[in-house]
């Protein structure tokens, strides 16, 4: 092939576009508002976590006031779903500090205070271009948990909090289950890797979202999970969020993402729409807030599962 060179390549699956926004489903609209528009990828990848929160909310509803319920909805929606601007060109992660203050007052002395952990995930308000792709350079890598990032992988900038959250969850899952005699080490490693790599990444030209995992692969690799391990995985991640095995595929250089190894010639990418700078100051002077996003999703999921078991 003229102009091409032999390279280590991988096969990946198309998982949507970087510029897509959509309304929440009817249940999401019921809780977050009729015209709450979020990136399509956030709606899909956060669906299971959102469902877990709502199931807990419904269990708690008889025990909390209307005011507590309304504040709790605000905290849940803003922590799970960033919001697209009306022109669908940008994405906003909201500051919900005031909602957290109200939550502490309105829901005090009720099990709903377990949701206060979500306040630890709060960031200063940031607005990002919906389709700007960046490297995850500020997300810490901890050997022995998530596989290292391929050195040329990029994600939409607004997704970096999700990537960081999934890595934090994966670390906590492994730390809490690694000594269990009820789960085989290779089974746990596969499940942890699925969590680590559950957020789709940008195509080389920055226009599409890609995934190296399919729904079928996810189902196969978690089939060995049992007990609390299965419960925790299913509370945070749905295999249905991954593309189907019959989705359109493409080949990319292995340094640009995760995927199934292949051996083909590809033409090197010579020009892209990717923006490499990741540093942006907020009104408060913070930089790279999205990449240093603190996460406690795993801990709150454990607490909420316990609440649902107790209330049942």
């Amino acid at each position: 092939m003229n102009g091409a060179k032999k390279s280590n390549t991988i096969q990946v699956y198309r998982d949507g576009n970087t510029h897509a926004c959509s309304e929440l489903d009817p249940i999401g609209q019921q809780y977050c508002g009729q015209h709450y528009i979020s990136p399509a990828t956030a709606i899909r990848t956060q669906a299971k976590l959102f469902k877990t929160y709502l199931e807990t909310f419904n269990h708690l509803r008889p025990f909390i006031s209307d005011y507590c319920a309304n504040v709790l909805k605000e905290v849940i929606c803003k922590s799970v779903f960033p919001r697209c601007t009306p022109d669908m060109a940008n994405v906003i992660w909201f500051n919900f500090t005031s909602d957290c203050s109200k939550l502490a007052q309105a829901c005090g002395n009720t099990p709903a205070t377990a949701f206060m952990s979500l306040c630890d995930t709060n960031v200063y308000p940031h607005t990002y271009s919906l389709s700007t792709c960046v490297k995850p350079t500020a997300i810490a890598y901890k050997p022995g948990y998530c596989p290292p990032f391929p050195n040329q992988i990029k994600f939409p900038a607004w997704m970096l909090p999700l990537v960081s959250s999934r890595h934090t969850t994966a670390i906590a899952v492994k730390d809490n289950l690694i000594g269990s005699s009820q789960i085989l080490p290779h089974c746990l490693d596969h499940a942890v890797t699925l969590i680590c790599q559950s957020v789709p990444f940008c195509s080389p030209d920055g226009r599409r979202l890609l995934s190296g995992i399919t729904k079928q692969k996810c189902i196969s690799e978690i089939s060995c999970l049992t007990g609390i391990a299965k419960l925790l995985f299913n509370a945070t991640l749905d295999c249905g969020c991954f593309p189907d095995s019959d989705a359109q595929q493409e080949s990319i250089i292995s340094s640009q993402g995760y995927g199934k190894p292949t051996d083909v010639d590809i033409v090197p990418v010579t020009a892209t729409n990717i923006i490499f700078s990741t540093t942006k100051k907020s009104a408060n002077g913070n930089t790279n807030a999205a990449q240093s996003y603190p996460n406690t999703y795993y801990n709150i999921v454990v607490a909420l599962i316990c609440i649902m078991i107790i209330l049942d």
Side-chain angles (χ1 to χ4, degrees):
M1 183 182 297
N2 188 30
K5 69 175 183 178
K6 200 75 170 179
S7 178
N8 183 20
T9 62
I10 54 174
Q11 201 75 7
V12 295
Y13 297 82
R14 293 191 180 180
D15 198 20
N17 300 315
T18 56
H19 56 273
C21 291
S22 61
E23 292 184 344
L24 303 184
D25 64 19
I27 294 177
Q29 291 183 39
Q30 176 186 344
Y31 285 87
C32 300
Q34 189 172 8
H35 301 294
Y36 200 113
I37 300 175
S38 187
T41 304
I43 295 174
R44 187 174 69 256
T45 59
Q46 295 282 81
K48 192 65 176 183
L49 187 64
F50 186 60
K51 181 180 179 181
T52 298
Y53 290 169
L54 293 192
E55 288 176 350
T56 310
F57 176 90
N58 291 333
H59 276 75
L60 292 173
R61 188 62 187 89
F63 307 99
I64 60 178
S65 67
D66 291 345
Y67 180 43
C68 171
N70 290 333
V71 174
L72 193 51
K73 288 179 183 178
E74 288 288 320
V75 171
I76 290 173
C77 294
K78 290 178 180 177
S79 67
V80 175
F81 297 123
R83 198 159 188 167
C84 293
T85 53
D87 61 3
M88 298 191 185
N90 298 298
V91 182
I92 301 172
W93 282 102
F94 286 103
N95 182 346
F96 49 95
T97 300
S98 62
D99 297 305
C100 288
S101 297
K102 294 176 185 176
L103 182 64
Q105 298 171 2
C107 304
N109 300 319
T110 73
T113 53
F115 279 96
M116 285 298 297
S117 295
L118 286 178
C119 297
D120 294 334
T121 70
N122 199 11
V123 295
Y124 291 108
H126 278 263
T127 300
Y128 300 97
S129 168
L130 181 63
S131 55
T132 296
C133 294
V134 298
K135 293 181 179 181
T137 53
I139 296 178
Y141 168 64
K142 191 172 181 181
Y145 294 87
C146 291
F149 289 115
N151 59 22
Q152 295 297 319
I153 197 171
K154 301 176 183 70
F155 299 90
W158 67 266
M159 283 190 188
L160 294 180
L162 302 185
V163 178
S164 179
S165 171
R166 297 296 167 85
H167 276 233
T168 300
T169 298
I171 291 170
V173 166
K174 190 164 186 177
D175 280 346
N176 281 271
L177 297 176
I178 195 169
S180 173
S181 60
Q182 298 180 355
I183 182 171
L184 296 174
H186 76 273
C187 179
L188 178 58
D189 287 342
H190 288 167
V192 167
T193 297
L194 286 174
I195 297 172
C196 296
Q197 299 181 352
S198 58
V199 178
F201 51 91
C202 293
S203 62
D205 64 5
R207 297 177 181 177
R208 298 176 304 286
L209 292 171
L210 306 173
S211 175
I213 302 169
T214 64
K215 176 175 66 177
Q216 289 79 4
K217 178 181 178 180
C218 175
I219 293 172
S220 173
E221 295 201 350
I222 67 168
S223 62
C224 56
L225 295 178
T226 60
I228 188 64
K230 184 176 182 179
L231 186 64
L232 288 173
F233 185 93
N234 288 337
T236 57
L237 194 63
D238 181 4
C239 288
C241 74
F242 296 108
D244 197 86
S245 58
D246 62 2
Q248 189 171 357
Q249 300 180 46
E250 59 184 87
S251 295
I252 62 172
I253 298 172
S254 60
S255 62
Q256 296 172 334
Y258 327 112
K260 180 180 179 181
T262 186
D263 186 21
V264 297
D265 288 327
I266 64 172
V267 177
V269 176
T270 57
T272 73
N273 294 327
I274 294 171
I275 297 175
F276 292 91
S277 175
T278 62
T279 303
K280 181 183 289 188
K281 288 194 175 183
S282 71
N284 296 293
N286 280 18
T287 61
N288 288 336
Q291 299 203 42
S292 59
Y293 192 59
N295 299 280
T296 56
Y297 284 121
Y298 176 83
N299 293 330
I300 190 173
V301 167
V302 173
L304 297 184
I305 289 174
C306 292
I307 288 173
M308 285 191 283
I309 292 173
I310 292 170
L311 294 180
D312 274 345

